[in-house]
Amino acid sequence: MTTKKKLIEVALPLEAINLGSKPETENPFLRGHPRAIHNWWARTPLSVARALLFAQLIDDPGNSLPPEAARVEREKLLAFVAKLATWEATTDDSLIGEARARIAAQFNGNVPEFWDMFGGRASIPLEAQRLGMQVTSSDLNPVAVTIQRALLEFPARFTGRAPVHPQDRTKLPGRPTWKGTEGLAEDVRWFGSQICLRAKERLASLYPKGPNGKTVIAWLWARTVPSPDPACKGVHVPLVRSFKLAGQKRQVSVLPITDRHNSTFKFTIVEDKSHEPDGTMSRKGGVCLLSDAPMPFAYIREQAKLGNMHSRLMAIVTEGNRAREYHAPNDAHVRAAEQAKPDWRPDCEMPKKHRNFQPPVYGMDNIGDLFTPRQLVALGTICDLIAETRKELVGQRLDEEYVNALTFYLACAVSRMTDYHTNLATWNPTNENVSHLFQRQAIPMAWDFCEANPIEGKLSYDVAAEWVASSLESLPRNAPVARVLPLDARTGVPEFATPPVISTDPPYYDNISYADLADYFYVWLRRVLRDVDARTFATVLTPKTPELIASPTRHGSKELADQHFRLGFHKVFETIRSKSHPDVPCTIYYAFKQEEDYDASDEEGQRVSTGWETMLEGLVETGFQVTGTWPVRTTKKARAVARDANALASAIVLVCRPRPVNAPTATRRDLVNALKAELPLALTDLQRGNIAPADLAQAAIGPGMAVYTRFNKVLDAEGKPVLVREALALINKTLGETLTEQEGDFDADSRWALAWFEQYGFAEGEYGVAETLSKAKNTSVNGLVQAGILKSSRGSVRLLKPGELPADWDPDTDMRLTAWEMVHQLVRSLESGGESDAAVLAGKLAARAEVARELCYRLYSLCERKKRTAEALSYNSLVQSWPEIARLAREGGKPRAKQAEMFTQTED
């Protein structure tokens, strides 16, 4: 029996899907987004999950129609998927209703169940629920389970309920009925506000008004250690990354005033654009403010572990009439902070030898060390008030299940606050706001830190409750109640009435230590919820050992960690194969990037990814084949971890089905020939779809593995199986050969520049070497100078950097136009004037601009191999910006109609 192909196995509107994810990936404070209910890591955009899930369920028209009729119907389907792949579709009841109707029709009214065993923040299950499916979502981590219950279970269970708070209903604006989660959201707002008012009364003495009588937004502190200079008599000196407080329209800084004779200092505030004092900390270590004596990191670590790291108030930030106001520290505010005496603090040891946990290196071993005493008192008081509120509501004989759900949301709000209310939060002088801790999947160290106000202002508890409430209002309406289960994906298998459709975003090898990171939130959630949900919060900390990541610190060695990950994924894929819907392929999101040396007799120097290898081994060994691959944008291009590294912006979505029992056996040569025949076409499609150069090598794994997995076995010349590791190396090799062959499409000058750039970059080289190379490339050094890409002087030559190229360059009058110059002029325009300036140049280049975009892929691969990070980022950024550059060029620079509305900031 021939299996009918689903749309996702044939075609997707990839550009529309990636463009539709932009509001979610580019704006972390998108109003009403479900992620505001609670923090989580590695979040899949809702628009991406929704579009891909719909395409996973719907048959491709080619199954039943002639080619031309199928093409027409397929284009209509793709246009509908493009509509689903927008942020606006999230709350478009009409569009979602049509999608549900199409899915129901596809399955003759018997819509299948859905399961995600790595539910995480519930992006994929939430969209399955929105599309009308009966959802089961599971996860080992109790914080993830809490988020899933808040997003999937409670909203559907209590839909249409009126609020229970005691305020006079006549004062509520125009709400005769309560649709969906509106009533639940109203209760979260009201009780959050009441709890904040009570907290304000209890904590008033700890949070005095500012020197101007206005609300304090934040107190800025510097950590201190004793000076290493004996002449300073052990005086504690500050560790400050930057003294800048504001740096956009005005320049405001902390000014340290030192008295070196008496070894004293104090802080004052200056507003002077010509004054910007250097901090005392850099990547090389610190310097003593009083004597300029060096303070190496080893010295700072030693002092911190001896208990000699303290803190000193640097500045007070208050609300102003039109701008923030900054004040020098005073004794009253120092005393207010010092009087805080917490009676409870979290007790959770952090990993001491892990790249993503820096505080333990400085003696801050426990999560309780990551909060000031005043923060512990404030957060503990709010937790107590939530418990008191629950007790009061239960005493009023209200529906206890509803009260418990409300308690979950109030607990999420205080847990959410801890991302900002920690002694690792920092001050951002660009937007003059508090920067939160988890800007990436790590707990970094902070030297100068920011203590925000938890009872007044934009980071108070009532605002956190508002974040949660606004997220509730965008959740699916009239959706089936989901089943949320705390399960180990390796061994926990729920019962289903019918085989479920499976789509999941599993852990990425060792990229994210979910359990260790989640402890930061778990300790606060458990304080409130252990009596409400004893099953989820039964353990003192999150489960660690069974977590399906490859953590050498947890398992004792890299080999044992890899074995744990490998065997675990094998069990997961066995479960998926035995449980998944027979007519619907599975989809697996994967966004892992790690390369290691691979030394084989004929593939020396090729590199493969341990994470990919391990995950794919489980897939292959359990009898799956890859029937489709799609690179989809899942993170913003400028996220913190990517600013100085070639990090992935895309996830690769693998579409998988059980491999037919009669699949053929192939030789290694058959595999190589198939890769050389099919991979170049797939790469061309990826480049046309504007895959980021940083993602290309990972994206190529998909179509490469589609070739490898269609065979039952692949045998080498000795009859031994070609394993996944070698297959990945062959895919990498074919990718490199394909990119090299693409050089033939470029002009002779650009081919010379590529060869020279590979060897020298933008550095100087000998004229004679350049001349010899020019003859091989059928050009000349003088001609390259005339082309405007090369500088020749005193027996040496070098390529001109983008910033050295003329800003008034006109391609239409250039008598020796090269792809090389087009690329670097576009880079110059993008980096100096943004996408709008680059669009002006792209408009002049017209169709020729595509050649420049194609050259970026080759340039990026050269930079990555040579570890030239800065140049690599420039080429990657140009390609990532290309859709917007092309749109602006077509439309004459017109802004997007709804972009300003979508990017409303609701948090600081």
Side-chain angles (χ1 to χ4, degrees):
M1 179 179 176
T2 304
T3 302
K4 288 185 177 181
K5 287 188 175 183
K6 296 296 181 180
L7 181 64
I8 199 170
E9 297 175 289
V10 178
L12 278 181
L14 195 58
E15 184 176 353
I17 290 172
N18 286 333
L19 185 62
S21 72
K22 192 170 183 178
E24 295 181 73
T25 58
E26 294 295 317
N27 180 21
F29 308 120
L30 187 60
R31 182 170 178 78
H33 197 288
R35 66 179 167 221
I37 281 181
H38 202 281
N39 305 62
W40 193 250
W41 301 274
R43 303 176 296 225
T44 303
L46 303 183
S47 56
V48 169
R50 179 167 57 249
L52 266 61
L53 187 55
F54 179 83
Q56 181 181 350
L57 293 166
I58 298 297
D59 285 351
D60 179 73
N63 291 310
S64 56
L65 295 176
E68 182 57 26
R71 184 190 65 79
V72 172
E73 289 304 311
R74 186 179 298 120
E75 289 300 321
K76 291 179 182 177
L77 266 180
L78 294 176
F80 183 76
V81 173
K83 289 181 181 178
L84 283 177
T86 62
W87 172 246
E88 295 93 329
T90 308
T91 52
D92 187 335
D93 291 342
S94 175
L95 186 64
I96 297 301
E98 183 179 351
R100 288 184 181 183
R102 290 182 182 227
I103 293 169
Q106 174 71 70
F107 294 94
N108 298 317
N110 299 313
V111 177
E113 296 184 55
F114 173 87
W115 183 30
D116 182 352
M117 68 288 299
F118 297 105
R121 197 217 43 197
S123 294
I124 304 173
L126 184 63
E127 293 312 305
Q129 188 184 47
R130 197 185 309 276
L131 293 176
M133 304 180 78
Q134 181 66 58
V135 166
T136 297
S137 182
S138 55
D139 204 290
L140 176 68
N141 194 293
V143 176
V145 170
T146 299
I147 297 170
Q148 290 167 36
R149 294 194 72 186
L151 291 174
L152 302 169
E153 180 185 335
F154 299 141
R157 180 182 295 177
F158 300 112
T159 187
R161 290 278 294 263
V164 300
H165 69 72
Q167 181 173 317
D168 184 352
R169 295 292 181 274
T170 62
K171 295 180 181 179
L172 295 175
R175 291 287 179 86
T177 59
W178 299 85
K179 299 178 181 178
T181 57
E182 289 176 346
L184 183 56
E186 173 64 24
D187 271 336
V188 173
R189 285 191 183 93
W190 196 88
F191 286 106
S193 176
Q194 294 300 304
I195 288 169
C196 193
L197 286 173
R198 293 186 188 181
K200 188 174 179 180
E201 293 174 359
R202 297 187 187 184
L203 301 169
S205 63
L206 297 183
Y207 294 95
K209 294 291 184 181
N212 58 356
K214 296 180 179 177
T215 298
V216 176
I217 295 169
W219 292 263
L220 307 184
W221 300 82
R223 298 190 202 278
T224 65
V225 293
S227 170
D229 191 332
C232 293
K233 306 171 186 177
V235 173
H236 275 243
V237 292
L239 309 175
V240 179
R241 172 182 48 88
S242 172
F243 285 110
K244 183 188 291 187
L245 299 175
Q248 287 285 79
K249 296 180 180 179
R250 55 184 182 147
Q251 186 80 36
V252 185
S253 302
V254 172
L255 175 64
I257 298 176
T258 61
D259 180 347
R260 298 197 175 198
H261 178 73
N262 294 308
S263 297
T264 63
F265 66 91
K266 64 179 181 178
F267 296 121
T268 189
I269 308 298
V270 294
E271 185 166 350
D272 183 353
K273 288 189 176 181
S274 65
H275 177 79
E276 186 179 338
D278 293 330
T280 63
M281 293 297 296
S282 69
R283 292 184 178 183
K284 297 180 181 179
V287 294
C288 173
L289 180 69
L290 295 174
S291 67
D292 296 327
M295 297 190 295
F297 283 116
Y299 171 79
I300 296 171
R301 287 194 288 267
E302 178 187 19
Q303 291 300 314
K305 289 182 176 180
L306 289 172
N308 293 331
M309 181 179 282
H310 304 307
S311 58
R312 179 158 166 175
L313 186 62
M314 282 198 306
I316 302 167
V317 189
T318 64
E319 294 178 344
N321 293 329
R322 295 185 178 180
R324 306 289 196 223
E325 294 182 2
Y326 299 92
H327 312 272
N330 62 49
D331 291 342
H333 281 259
V334 173
R335 287 194 299 271
E338 288 177 344
Q339 69 173 293
K341 306 297 180 185
D343 56 10
W344 180 87
R345 57 176 299 184
D347 184 12
C348 170
E349 294 291 315
M350 287 182 285
K352 290 184 173 60
K353 294 182 179 180
H354 195 289
R355 64 181 186 272
N356 288 342
F357 294 82
Q358 291 182 6
V361 177
Y362 298 94
M364 300 166 67
D365 299 330
N366 198 292
I367 285 177
D369 298 330
L370 306 185
F371 303 91
T372 69
R374 180 160 58 175
Q375 287 170 335
L376 290 172
V377 171
L379 294 168
T381 297
I382 294 169
C383 288
D384 292 342
L385 286 167
I386 295 171
E388 290 175 19
T389 300
R390 176 177 179 270
K391 186 176 180 180
E392 290 169 7
L393 293 175
V394 172
Q396 295 170 18
R397 298 178 181 269
L398 296 173
D399 179 351
E400 188 167 351
E401 288 191 0
Y402 180 82
V403 172
N404 287 343
L406 178 58
T407 307
F408 259 79
Y409 292 114
L410 295 172
C412 283
V414 70
S415 181
R416 181 96 167 72
M417 284 179 69
T418 63
D419 194 18
Y420 291 88
H421 295 273
T422 166
N423 63 26
L424 297 177
T426 55
W427 184 253
N428 183 343
T430 301
N431 61 17
E432 299 183 62
N433 279 323
V434 182
S435 293
H436 61 113
L437 169 59
F438 287 107
Q439 298 186 52
R440 56 191 181 95
Q441 301 97 341
I443 298 181
M445 186 60 179
W447 305 116
D448 48 292
F449 65 90
C450 183
E451 188 181 8
N453 192 327
I455 56 175
E456 289 189 272
K458 292 187 177 181
L459 290 174
S460 59
Y461 179 72
D462 57 342
V463 173
E466 169 59 35
W467 296 343
V468 173
S470 66
S471 295
L472 277 172
E473 292 177 334
S474 68
L475 296 179
R477 295 181 180 180
N478 304 317
V481 177
R483 179 173 53 160
V484 177
L485 302 171
L487 292 177
D488 183 340
R490 302 169 306 160
T491 56
V493 183
E495 292 296 323
F496 296 94
T498 58
V501 170
I502 293 175
S503 181
T504 191
D505 188 354
Y508 306 148
Y509 200 63
D510 65 346
N511 270 19
I512 305 174
S513 297
Y514 292 97
D516 292 315
L517 290 168
D519 275 335
Y520 181 88
F521 298 116
Y522 181 78
V523 291
W524 293 103
L525 289 169
R526 187 173 186 268
R527 175 165 177 177
V528 179
L529 297 175
R530 60 186 170 188
D531 294 330
V532 179
D533 184 3
R535 179 184 180 189
T536 301
F537 294 94
T539 56
V540 175
L541 299 172
T542 62
K544 304 292 190 304
T545 302
E547 184 180 31
L548 195 50
I549 64 168
S551 173
T553 57
R554 191 175 296 165
H555 295 283
S557 69
K558 188 177 185 301
E559 291 72 25
L560 289 174
D562 183 75
Q563 183 182 40
H564 170 77
F565 188 81
R566 190 183 305 271
L567 294 176
F569 255 105
H570 197 284
K571 290 180 180 178
V572 169
F573 285 123
E574 282 182 339
T575 298
I576 291 175
R577 171 142 192 179
S578 66
K579 287 291 184 179
S580 64
H581 196 289
D583 299 327
V584 182
C586 307
T587 53
I588 299 164
Y589 293 67
Y590 211 63
F592 183 81
K593 185 179 183 182
Q594 171 188 304
E595 291 179 334
E596 296 180 350
D597 292 335
Y598 171 67
D599 187 8
S601 59
D602 52 356
E603 259 75 57
E604 186 173 357
Q606 294 299 316
R607 295 175 295 171
V608 298
S609 161
T610 302
W612 272 105
E613 176 196 359
T614 307
M615 190 274 290
L616 290 168
E617 276 185 350
L619 194 72
V620 172
E621 290 171 2
T622 51
F624 278 100
Q625 72 174 112
V626 177
T627 59
T629 59
W630 302 99
V632 292
R633 188 63 44 81
T634 56
T635 63
K636 65 177 180 178
K637 59 189 175 187
R639 69 201 191 283
V641 72
R643 287 171 192 156
D644 298 310
N646 299 328
L648 290 177
S650 300
I652 311 306
V653 179
L654 300 177
V655 187
C656 308
R657 287 185 184 269
R659 188 167 50 245
V661 292
N662 60 349
T665 297
T667 65
R668 184 180 185 278
R669 181 170 295 277
D670 292 333
L671 174 63
V672 171
N673 290 340
L675 288 173
K676 288 184 176 181
E678 298 179 39
L679 199 54
L681 296 174
L683 293 178
T684 299
D685 287 340
L686 288 170
Q687 290 172 336
R688 285 175 180 166
N690 213 66
I691 180 73
D695 299 346
L696 185 62
Q698 313 302 312
I701 291 173
M705 290 305 296
V707 174
Y708 176 75
T709 59
R710 77 167 62 122
F711 302 114
N712 183 43
K713 290 181 181 179
V714 178
L715 305 175
D716 63 15
E718 298 179 357
K720 297 179 181 178
V722 174
L723 302 178
V724 168
R725 187 173 182 83
E726 187 177 356
L728 286 170
L730 291 171
I731 293 167
N732 281 337
K733 183 179 180 182
T734 307
L735 171 63
E737 292 172 350
T738 302
L739 291 174
T740 302
E741 289 171 2
Q742 288 180 351
E743 289 185 20
D745 298 335
F746 306 128
D747 55 90
D749 290 350
S750 296
R751 293 198 300 274
W752 180 91
L754 276 167
W756 184 266
F757 183 75
E758 182 174 12
Q759 186 67 28
Y760 297 97
F762 289 109
E764 289 187 342
E766 295 180 10
Y767 181 95
V769 176
E771 184 66 24
T772 301
L773 179 62
S774 70
K775 291 177 182 178
K777 299 295 183 181
N778 196 28
T779 184
S780 68
V781 171
N782 288 338
L784 293 161
V785 173
Q786 292 171 11
I789 64 174
L790 192 70
K791 181 177 181 179
S792 176
S793 175
R794 298 180 182 179
S796 63
V797 302
R798 67 175 177 83
L799 289 164
L800 293 173
K801 297 178 181 178
E804 298 176 294
L805 298 175
D808 60 352
W809 178 70
D810 187 345
D812 293 330
T813 59
D814 192 322
M815 302 305 294
R816 190 159 176 156
L817 187 64
T818 66
W820 182 272
E821 189 170 17
M822 288 191 285
V823 165
H824 292 86
Q825 283 284 2
L826 284 164
V827 167
R828 177 194 61 76
S829 296
L830 180 64
E831 293 182 347
S832 63
E835 292 173 342
S836 57
D837 278 16
V840 172
L841 184 54
K844 291 180 180 179
L845 289 169
R848 297 170 294 190
E850 283 299 317
V851 177
R853 189 179 67 87
E854 291 171 10
L855 178 55
C856 282
Y857 288 97
R858 179 60 177 153
L859 284 166
Y860 178 88
S861 68
L862 291 178
C863 290
E864 188 178 40
R865 191 164 68 246
K866 295 290 185 176
K867 301 189 184 304
R868 298 171 187 160
T869 303
E871 289 90 348
L873 288 173
S874 293
Y875 303 129
N876 193 60
S877 295
L878 179 58
V879 175
Q880 283 191 277
S881 300
W882 198 258
E884 184 65 7
I885 291 172
R887 186 194 69 79
L888 289 169
R890 287 193 307 269
E891 301 176 10
K894 295 179 182 178
R896 291 191 184 281
K898 297 185 179 180
Q899 203 78 332
E901 297 174 14
M902 292 190 293
F903 281 64
T904 301
Q905 184 162 319
T906 60
E907 302 174 30
D908 281 344

